[in-house]
Amino acid sequence: SGQAAAQSHARKGSLGFGGLADLHAENGKAGMLLLDPANLFLGNIGDFVWLGYDFINVVSIVSSLNLGTDVTQTATNNLSVLGDIIWSGAGSLILNATGNDAHIEADIKSSFNGTNTQGAITINAGNNIYLGGANIATKNGDITANSQDFHMSFSSMKSTPGDVLINNTGKFAANAAGVLKGKSVTLHQSTAGSIQNAVSAVGATGSGGGKLL
């Protein structure tokens, strides 16, 4: 009757997940689904999965998020998203590529209108984050990205009226089609680096076509 527990699926060989994890609680906060293979491919049934990658069906992720379950997916090397993850429930999504890069080439969107910690999106990479043709959006949840370098190409990160926070220790680079929008938008570099095509950042300014709304 209280808060639900966490459910973890650690990698022992090959991992595939295509089902539904119902971790909602009758009273209190829903549980958390944890998935942590080495290289992780988030896509749709029928997608070509790269050699050395474990496949996760995005349909199952969306179903869990819609139940209010927080989903954390951790790859110990690379993580790639090639299938849209679009949900309306209170669950928040955390994507971790602890050892290398996170490649986001699909939309990740939450329409849940709650607090800044509900329907939130966090992307963490031990090395770099690459957004390619990806639209990251929430209704009210915060959007956070932590990495060394951060690259945006024909992509956007929008939270209305939540916050967008990008922490990187290397460089930030966005092309002319890059859009950042939120109640507040912060680009923060904890060490010296370069800001390419960023309209503004904490302690630095840049030039180029990227839009900060």
Side-chain angles (χ1 to χ4, degrees):
S1 62
Q3 180 169 311
Q7 186 177 105
S8 177
H9 297 265
R11 182 179 188 272
K12 293 182 179 179
S14 181
L15 170 68
F17 182 78
L20 171 64
D22 185 355
L23 300 176
H24 82 280
E26 295 297 329
N27 297 296
K29 184 175 176 58
M32 178 180 293
L33 175 64
L34 308 173
L35 301 167
D36 55 350
N39 294 300
L40 183 57
F41 181 108
L42 309 183
N44 296 289
I45 297 295
D47 287 346
F48 176 79
V49 180
W50 304 324
L51 183 65
Y53 278 72
D54 292 307
F55 172 79
I56 303 294
N57 187 357
V58 294
V59 172
S60 61
I61 298 171
V62 170
S63 297
S64 296
L65 291 167
N66 280 335
L67 286 172
T69 301
D70 292 341
V71 177
T72 297
Q73 302 198 353
T74 299
T76 57
N77 193 32
N78 294 306
L79 182 147
S80 296
V81 180
L82 280 88
D84 292 343
I85 303 175
I86 301 174
W87 73 101
S88 58
S92 292
L93 179 64
I94 300 176
L95 302 176
N96 298 317
T98 59
N100 204 9
D101 300 331
H103 294 262
I104 313 298
E105 299 179 24
D107 292 348
I108 303 177
K109 297 179 178 180
S110 166
S111 61
F112 186 80
N113 189 8
T115 69
N116 67 318
T117 60
Q118 295 175 309
I121 300 168
T122 302
I123 305 171
N124 302 309
N127 194 28
N128 303 326
I129 293 176
Y130 298 92
L131 302 185
N135 296 302
I136 314 298
T138 65
K139 183 69 174 180
N140 196 32
D142 292 342
I143 300 175
T144 306
N146 301 292
S147 64
Q148 294 186 36
D149 291 356
F150 185 92
H151 300 263
M152 292 179 66
S153 177
F154 298 96
S155 299
S156 65
M157 299 181 77
K158 301 178 182 179
S159 181
T160 308
D163 297 326
V164 175
L165 173 61
I166 299 175
N167 293 305
N168 62 290
T169 58
K171 69 179 181 180
F172 175 95
N175 66 6
V179 176
L180 300 174
K181 181 179 181 179
K183 181 178 67 176
S184 70
V185 177
T186 303
L187 277 63
H188 181 261
Q189 293 180 290
S190 59
T191 59
S194 63
I195 307 247
Q196 299 177 359
N197 294 348
V199 175
S200 67
V202 175
T205 58
S207 61
K211 299 177 181 177
L212 183 65
L213 304 178

